[in-house]
Amino acid sequence: MIGVVPRACARAMLVLFAVAVGVFLVTDVLPGDAALARTRGGAGAAELARLRAESGMDGPVWERFARWGWALLRGDAGTSLLNDRPVSTLIGERLPATLTLAACALVVAVPLLLALSWWAGGRAARSYGGGALAAVAAIPQVVVAAGAVAVFSGLLGWLPRVSLLPIGAPPWHDPALLVLPALSLALPAAAYGAGLLSGAVADVRALPHVDDAVLRGIPRWRIATRHALPLLWAPAIRVVAVIAGGLIAATTVVETVFGYTGLGELLVSSVASRDVPVVQAVALLGAVVVVTGGAVADLARGIRA
Amino acid sequence: MHRRQFILGTAALAAALVAAGCSAPSAENTGKAGTLRYAAVGSPATASHDPHGGLGNESDAMRFALLYDVLTVPGEQGTEPRLATSWTPDESLTNWRIELRDDATFTDGEPVTAADVLFSLRRMHEKAAENYGRMGMFDLAASEAKGEHTLRLITRTPFAEVGQALESATFIVPEGSEDFSEPVTGSGPFRMDSGDAEAAVLARNDDWWGPRPPLERIEIRAIADPQARADAVASGQADVAGSVNPAAARTAEQEGLRVVHRQGVTVYPLVMRLDSEPFDDERVREAVKLAVDREQLLDTVFLGQGTLAGDLLTPADPTAPEPPERTRDLDRARELLTEAGYGDGLDLTLKTTTAYPGMDDAATLIAGQLEPAGVNITVDVVPQDTYWTEVYAQEAFYVSYLGGISFLDVARVALLPDSPTNETAWGGGGWAERFDEAMAEKDEPKRAELLGALQRELAEDGGYVVWAAGDGLDLARPGVSGLPTGPGFQRLFIDQVRVDSR
């Protein structure tokens, strides 16, 4: 029991550091840089060198990483290399929109995920459940989004085809705008998460005392909540954290389809323009969600043990 | 049993969600008289508050055109005054006297002076790397303010088109402005009300010197996806969508929306670099120009919404000549290739990208069209992230893009020996010298004639295959009137647009 918390925290810190280094390096090895993106092929070597020096894009990669990391530790996420705006502003503008959308998607995805994994982890579906989930999870978001738009806006005319956020009002100002983007995110995410969790569910359902409960004719929901769930907390939290992290950073496709400006669009555009400080900030945000969930799962398991 | 429960549960959940979303449409979804909601081309992540940079986002440029005064604007009959009331050269055409209006004020009450103008032009010049050297024709160090509202501008060479060079993008900010991470004070027809660079609400500036805008508010949003822009208008969340795809425009027209055509502004020229094999041989260039099927390209890529361009790079420019007649002639093309030594075939790789709709289709079509002439083309689709830095103005054979800028701008950016992106290695053979001569010609009709001849020469001998010019297609809800229809930057000036109450 003692030592669980520091250990979980240390592990989380290590993972975040690894993510920061990894993302920095990957962005660095991509061809081109922000100076080229900013001048769109219209600048000579001297001008490019000046631009790089001005915005701290020169010097070896470890030095740039150290500069960025040191500034971040002092609470300064830097400025965009593309439009000179503070990264904190860029993130802050989009965070409410993304959090709102992610929350709506989770409200749908989490119960669905648990139900699906219970079904797929059962005896009846053992043979084909995993395959079915994998098939659903493999449907690209863009297809889900297009299908949802076709049904709810095209055929039924219930919901708007795009979701332009109101300017100067909170994102939940108009709930109708959130339904289709949230559904498009939630369905594949739930299938993916259920695929991750169904193995653990199957193991738990095969345990003697659970089996025994089934044989004694205890209602299914009681078995699920009483006997199985306590053993599933840790993996469930971990899976939900992974999905939530994905919803923070990887919602680009849905955002593009619906014209919804969130962090996903910011991440992809920033990768495209090699805007390292912005890429780092968004990637770390997603990683913080995943890692926090992992740490909570560790604690849940550790405390139970 | 439990499977059925699960399906029912899911259905109930979806129904609950839909019910939540079925509440009455909010005020955002119904337009208001006095407000225009414009869905403009732009990537929200790169939206900027700096009016002197690259203006890569149309949404930004459009906002700046409302927030800031510009010196001159393009009009039907050439350059028209805005903040600058007159521009008068000396005998040598290198020393220009610019007179400014004396009744323009910034929204903080300070008058707009020659010092502000000079500061803004110099700042544009400092950012030459980002804006393709937009102020390159001026010697701004030698230029000076000659009083409160008079400016002396020095050009590096005799340059008769100073009025045009000061058009549209000369956004004037207060002298000494330094922090452009937030909007800087302006003196234009509108001022910043709320929102930010990617989605801004502008309110009418009642103290503006010009004609009172009919609209009280203009909302401008950056939306990168053309389909999402069109959908925004179709679903009533925007009044105007800038630059939609031909297919989306056609669908929207059937649904009762209005399509505004800006004639012949989009070209996807095929670039052949004159300083690399095999395009250094003019017979090969001629053969390619004869082998492409221009009508098929126009019909497929632009769905017929455009005009054949006869290889004129800027067919919408006022000085553009009649386009040369170009009829497809595969026999002659094969003959020319044989003469050039490629009788048994020519293998090429054509690079393209998906940055603008149809660029990839154009390359695929061209590959098919050149095959019967004995040219075997492999199409290579390069991601748009790196296209403008790795392919544009670097490779010898690719599909390029131009969005309706004037001939002078194209010449400055891409046709002269010192141009930052001379993508076809053009300008030799005396063309650059003749361009300078034209710019030193005082007589306007004569100058237009010279410029026309230069464009014709480029069309006939140059490395550009300009098969057609597609119309710019903007989508508008009924009731929106006064949207700009002209070429180039004219589309940015929407201060006189009106929206009738619906």
Side-chain angles (χ1 to χ4, degrees):
Chain A
M1 174 69 222
I2 305 298
V4 168
V5 175
R7 211 174 14 214
C9 285
R11 189 180 303 171
M13 283 295 154
L14 264 177
V15 172
L16 284 182
F17 181 74
V19 168
V21 173
V23 173
F24 204 95
L25 286 176
V26 167
T27 318
D28 198 68
V29 297
L30 288 173
D33 70 349
L36 283 170
R38 190 166 173 155
T39 53
R40 287 165 305 147
E47 284 168 325
L48 285 172
R50 191 173 56 91
L51 201 60
R52 285 182 184 125
E54 269 173 19
S55 46
M57 281 186 258
D58 51 350
V61 64
W62 61 265
E63 189 183 307
R64 276 178 286 133
F65 180 79
R67 251 196 317 235
W68 168 83
W70 177 235
L72 189 72
L73 289 176
R74 286 172 305 152
D76 173 14
T79 53
S80 157
L81 300 176
L82 215 74
N83 55 21
D84 299 329
R85 295 169 70 198
V87 173
S88 53
T89 307
L90 294 173
I91 302 267
E93 275 173 355
R94 285 173 168 73
L95 203 54
T98 289
L99 289 181
T100 306
L101 185 57
C104 290
L106 282 177
V107 164
V108 180
V110 170
L112 193 56
L113 180 165
L114 294 173
L116 278 173
S117 58
W118 184 256
W119 164 75
R123 284 229 175 85
R126 184 85 39 99
S127 52
Y128 58 87
L133 287 178
V136 175
I139 300 174
Q141 277 179 350
V142 69
V143 175
V144 179
V149 166
V151 173
F152 292 109
S153 336
L155 284 176
L156 302 169
W158 287 350
L159 292 166
R161 225 181 304 182
V162 284
S163 306
L164 305 188
L165 286 168
I167 306 174
W172 53 89
H173 181 80
D174 189 357
L177 297 178
L178 296 167
V179 180
L180 288 183
L183 272 184
S184 311
L185 287 174
L187 298 178
Y192 172 74
L196 293 180
L197 196 59
S198 61
V201 172
D203 294 346
V204 168
R205 286 182 71 171
L207 289 173
H209 76 278
V210 179
D211 238 7
D212 195 48
V214 174
L215 290 175
R216 277 184 295 146
I218 292 176
R220 204 171 296 281
W221 63 268
R222 290 251 330 242
I223 296 174
T225 50
R226 272 285 175 75
H227 301 83
L229 201 56
L231 300 171
L232 287 171
W233 270 126
I237 290 171
R238 210 181 284 279
V239 166
V240 169
V242 167
I243 287 177
L247 289 176
I248 296 291
T251 55
T252 323
V253 172
V254 167
E255 285 176 19
T256 305
V257 170
F258 293 102
Y260 190 98
T261 34
L263 287 173
E265 185 267 342
L266 184 66
L267 177 67
V268 165
S269 290
S270 307
V271 171
S273 55
R274 314 288 184 258
D275 197 344
V276 179
V278 181
V279 174
Q280 289 288 88
V282 183
L284 274 183
L285 259 181
V288 164
V289 173
V290 177
V291 167
T292 308
V296 171
D298 284 350
L299 291 176
R301 211 181 36 211
I303 287 164
R304 234 200 28 254
Chain B
M1 174 69 205
H2 56 273
R3 194 171 324 156
R4 196 175 325 139
Q5 280 169 346
F6 156 69
I7 291 169
L8 281 175
T10 316
L13 205 65
L17 260 172
V18 171
C22 270
S23 48
S26 71
E28 265 74 31
N29 285 359
T30 48
K32 296 191 287 283
T35 300
L36 177 79
R37 298 159 307 160
Y38 200 113
V41 185
S43 147
T46 59
S48 163
H49 287 301
D50 191 335
H52 303 139
L55 303 180
N57 277 337
E58 198 155 304
S59 51
D60 290 337
M62 191 169 261
R63 193 174 71 252
F64 299 147
L66 294 168
L67 295 178
Y68 302 102
D69 267 322
V70 295
L71 292 171
T72 62
V73 286
E76 298 305 316
Q77 310 299 328
T79 305
E80 289 176 3
R82 196 102 172 196
L83 189 63
T85 51
S86 69
W87 41 99
T88 322
D90 66 349
E91 268 311 291
S92 71
L93 291 184
T94 59
N95 189 325
W96 289 70
R97 185 187 170 86
I98 315 288
E99 292 289 349
L100 306 175
R101 313 187 59 87
D102 57 7
D103 57 347
T105 53
F106 289 109
T107 49
D108 59 6
E110 293 293 318
V112 183
T113 65
D116 299 317
V117 172
L118 196 58
F119 171 83
S120 303
L121 297 183
R122 281 180 176 158
R123 194 165 178 277
M124 281 171 75
H125 186 58
E126 274 165 32
K127 294 178 107 29
E130 285 170 58
N131 59 35
Y132 294 117
R134 200 176 290 137
M135 289 286 113
M137 66 289 293
F138 296 111
D139 181 351
L140 289 168
S143 306
E144 53 185 345
K146 297 295 273 186
E148 196 78 335
H149 301 292
T150 308
L151 198 67
R152 190 157 289 293
L153 279 184
I154 309 297
T155 61
R156 296 181 188 281
T157 54
F159 192 88
E161 291 285 0
V162 158
Q164 202 190 115
L166 298 175
E167 273 176 11
S168 303
T170 44
F171 303 112
I172 304 305
V173 301
E175 186 183 15
S177 303
E178 271 177 16
D179 180 10
F180 284 83
S181 63
E182 291 293 325
V184 169
T185 311
S187 63
F190 283 76
R191 55 190 169 71
M192 199 76 178
D193 181 64
S194 61
D196 212 319
E198 57 267 33
V201 181
L202 312 181
R204 182 169 56 206
N205 172 14
D206 286 322
D207 300 329
W208 190 52
W209 53 264
R212 184 181 157 91
L215 293 161
E216 285 166 37
R217 287 155 59 89
I218 298 183
E219 293 177 13
I220 298 178
R221 284 173 192 278
I223 301 179
D225 184 58
Q227 190 58 50
R229 287 195 296 273
D231 287 345
V233 176
S235 67
Q237 293 182 64
D239 302 305
V240 182
S243 299
V244 300
N245 298 346
R250 191 173 279 183
T251 311
E253 216 158 11
Q254 287 156 356
E255 290 171 359
L257 296 169
R258 218 157 48 83
V259 176
V260 178
H261 287 251
R262 287 176 285 110
Q263 225 187 351
V265 294
T266 307
V267 293
Y268 300 154
L270 186 61
V271 166
M272 306 181 281
R273 258 191 100 86
L274 267 64
D275 59 1
S276 46
E277 276 198 13
F279 307 114
D280 51 351
D281 188 329
E282 62 186 18
R283 289 169 299 193
V284 174
R285 301 199 298 272
E286 181 71 11
V288 173
K289 288 176 187 178
L290 285 171
V292 290
D293 183 343
R294 294 150 192 271
E295 284 84 0
Q296 189 192 32
L297 281 160
L298 171 59
D299 286 341
T300 313
V301 177
F302 295 134
L303 291 183
Q305 319 229 30
T307 41
L308 293 173
D311 298 331
L312 285 178
L313 198 50
T314 51
D317 193 277
T319 60
E322 276 300 300
E325 197 60 46
R326 285 279 185 195
T327 348
R328 193 177 191 208
D329 189 344
L330 285 171
D331 295 338
R332 180 77 190 126
R334 271 191 296 267
E335 245 170 60
L336 284 163
L337 285 168
T338 309
E339 281 173 33
Y342 298 104
D344 41 13
L346 171 61
D347 294 333
L348 294 169
T349 299
L350 173 60
K351 304 229 178 214
T352 186
T353 186
T354 52
Y356 295 94
M359 278 178 94
D360 46 345
D361 303 340
T364 312
L365 280 170
I366 288 168
Q369 293 167 0
L370 293 188
E371 205 172 343
V375 185
N376 305 309
I377 291 183
T378 316
V379 175
D380 178 12
V381 183
V382 179
Q384 58 186 58
D385 297 6
T386 50
Y387 198 73
W388 307 108
T389 51
E390 313 248 309
V391 175
Y392 175 65
Q394 316 274 332
E395 293 284 344
F397 194 44
Y398 64 93
V399 179
S400 189
Y401 163 83
L402 273 179
I405 58 176
S406 69
F407 173 65
L408 288 191
D409 280 339
V410 177
R412 182 174 48 79
V413 169
L415 299 174
L416 297 166
D418 56 352
S419 294
T421 55
N422 192 332
E423 48 182 350
T424 54
W426 179 254
W431 193 89
E433 290 74 16
R434 285 195 290 284
F435 179 80
D436 286 341
E437 279 163 30
M439 295 318 289
E441 173 57 57
K442 287 191 189 62
D443 179 51
E444 194 173 347
K446 184 128 199 288
R447 189 167 65 241
E449 196 181 311
L450 290 173
L451 291 171
L454 287 162
Q455 290 167 66
R456 209 184 160 92
E457 189 183 341
L458 174 70
E460 280 164 1
D461 307 336
Y464 286 109
V465 186
V466 192
W467 32 274
D471 291 353
L473 303 170
D474 300 335
L475 213 54
R477 300 181 74 191
V480 179
S481 57
L483 285 168
T485 56
F489 276 151
Q490 223 173 332
R491 68 180 180 275
L492 303 180
F493 292 87
I494 57 171
D495 50 279
Q496 296 304 315
V497 171
R498 49 176 67 247
V499 179
D500 297 333
S501 48
R502 294 178 282 269

